[in-house]
Structures are given as C-alpha cells and as structure tokens.
C-alpha cells in the first residue's frame, strides 16, 4: 500500500541536542512538507520541497533544517537553536503544486526535557 | 500574512444532531480550499477539495459549500454519529507558492 511513514511515533530528547525526524513516502509524489502543531493552533508550515535537491522555508523555519536527497525521503532536523521544540510534527506529500489533496503521515510527537 | 480562521474551535453535540462549521479565508489569489478530517492517533484524511465558487460537495452525511468571492466555506454534518468525532481542518491553497495554509481546526465531539 502506498503511503507516508513517519518514525518514530514518540521521541524524547534532552535540551540542547539535535534530533532528526524521519519521513518516507512511496507514492512517487514530487512535493513533501513538514508541519508543526501546537495545542490550540493550526498546522504551521516549517519547510517544503517541490523537487529533489530543492526546498523552501515555510512560516516557522528558524531552528529547523531539512534535506531532500531522494524523492521518497524528507528528514527534518530540529536543532538546538529551536527555542520551543516540544510539539507534534506532521509530514505530508502531494503531486507537485497539486491543489487536489495532500497525503499525511501519522506524526511524531517530540518532547524535549 | 495569509490567515485561515475556523469556528467554532470546539463543538459538543448529541448523536443525531446536525451541525455545521465555518472556514474563512482570503478571497484573493484563491486556488483551492481543502477540508480534512483528523481522528485522534490517525493521519488527517482528505474530505473535499473545492475549487469553484458555488461548489457543493457531498460524501455520505457530510457536505461542504464554497463562496470564494466572500472567502468562506461551510462544512455540514447531518445526523452526527459518535464516529464523526474528530478535528475538522480546512486549508487554503493559494496560487503563489504552492502550499496549504491551515486553520486551527474545529474539534467535534458527538455523544451517544
């Protein structure tokens, strides 16, 4: 079955450590996205990539980094520069610039202690 | 800054009640409006993608309307069931940048 896999589901890290969240898709989608959700807020876009080896900052990119070396993979690194990293992170993919719907992963809940 | 607003933030209804939510979005640079249903511990699931002013879409007991000129969309659920309990997200796709801007969601709870 085609879909998006995010791992792990839950992640705990000590303050000051970088951590990388995995997102893999086998849908052959060109575009991939990372969103963050905080309580009472909508999904906010961190980074997105419309093609391999290219990505753009979203609305809240500070303290995060991404890479897109392969079409199926779009890992997100939460760096120590991110002031408030504890959140729920959701990855999505779509056909390039396709307004007709995203496919989402099931998310990773990151807790920094 | 593009803003997408949803109301109400949460809604508690009894089984069998019909209900509706609102999504407000910028009326300029419109390309598409998405509705997603997000159950706890699952991935958001696409309900509707609406592109034309006056669009009405239906999926079972759930339907949605779109007014792009005034910048709003309504989602209706007829005869709510406990399995309809979820967060309903709307998202605005604007034609500069190729990305979705999400509202904060409406959390629906349907009691048996």
């Amino acid at each position: 079955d085609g879909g998006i896999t995010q791992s792990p589901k839950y992640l705990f890290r000590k303050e000051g450590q970088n951590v990388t969240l995995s997102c893999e898709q086998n849908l052959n989608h060109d575009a991939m996205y990372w969103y963050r959700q905080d309580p009472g807020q909508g999904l906010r876009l961190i980074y997105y990539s419309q093609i391999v080896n290219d990505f753009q900052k979203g609305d809240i990119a500070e303290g995060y980094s991404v890479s897109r070396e392969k079409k199926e993979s779009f890992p997100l690194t939460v760096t120590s520069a991110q002031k408030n990293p504890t959140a729920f992170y959701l990855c999505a993919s779509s056909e390039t610039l396709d307004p007709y719907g995203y496919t989402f992963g099931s998310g990773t809940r990151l807790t920094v202690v | 800054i593009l803003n997408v607003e949803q109301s109400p933030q949460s809604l508690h209804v009894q089984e069998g009640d019909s209900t509706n939510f609102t999504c407000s979005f910028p009326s300029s640079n419109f390309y598409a409006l998405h509705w997603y249903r997000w159950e706890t511990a699952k991935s958001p699931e696409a309900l509707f993608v609406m592109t034309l002013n006056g669009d009405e879409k239906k999926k079972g007991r759930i339907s949605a309307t779109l007014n792009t000129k005034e910048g709003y969309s309504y989602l209706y659920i007829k005869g709510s069931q406990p399995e309809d309990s979820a967060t309903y997200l709307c998202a605005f796709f604007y034609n500069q940048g190729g990305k979705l801007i999400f509202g904060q969601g409406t959390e629906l709870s349907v009691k048996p």
Side-chain angles (χ1 to χ4, degrees), chain B residues 52-65:
Chain B
L52 297 174
N53 186 42
D55 246 358
E56 287 190 31
K57 300 231 174 183
K58 192 172 178 184
K59 195 175 189 176
R61 293 178 292 98
I62 305 177
S63 59
T65 61

Side-chain angles (χ1 to χ4, degrees), chain A residues 33-35 43-48 58-61, chain B residues 99-100:
Chain A
Y33 312 84
W34 274 105
Y35 286 89
L43 297 174
R44 291 184 291 164
L45 184 64
I46 305 171
Y47 267 99
Y48 64 109
D59 302 318
I60 53 165
Chain B
K99 56 187 181 180
L100 281 178

Side-chain angles (χ1 to χ4, degrees), chain B residues 13-66:
Chain B
V13 301
Q14 290 293 132
E15 182 176 354
D17 288 350
S18 292
T19 186
N20 64 84
F21 327 132
T22 304
C23 174
S24 301
F25 53 87
S27 53
S28 58
N29 292 319
F30 177 85
Y31 202 98
L33 193 284
H34 294 203
W35 280 102
Y36 290 87
R37 169 196 158 87
W38 192 4
E39 286 183 75
T40 304
K42 295 187 177 177
S43 308
E45 171 199 354
L47 285 173
F48 304 114
V49 179
M50 309 179 80
T51 56
L52 297 174
N53 186 42
D55 246 358
E56 287 190 31
K57 300 231 174 183
K58 192 172 178 184
K59 195 175 189 176
R61 293 178 292 98
I62 305 177
S63 59
T65 61
L66 179 69

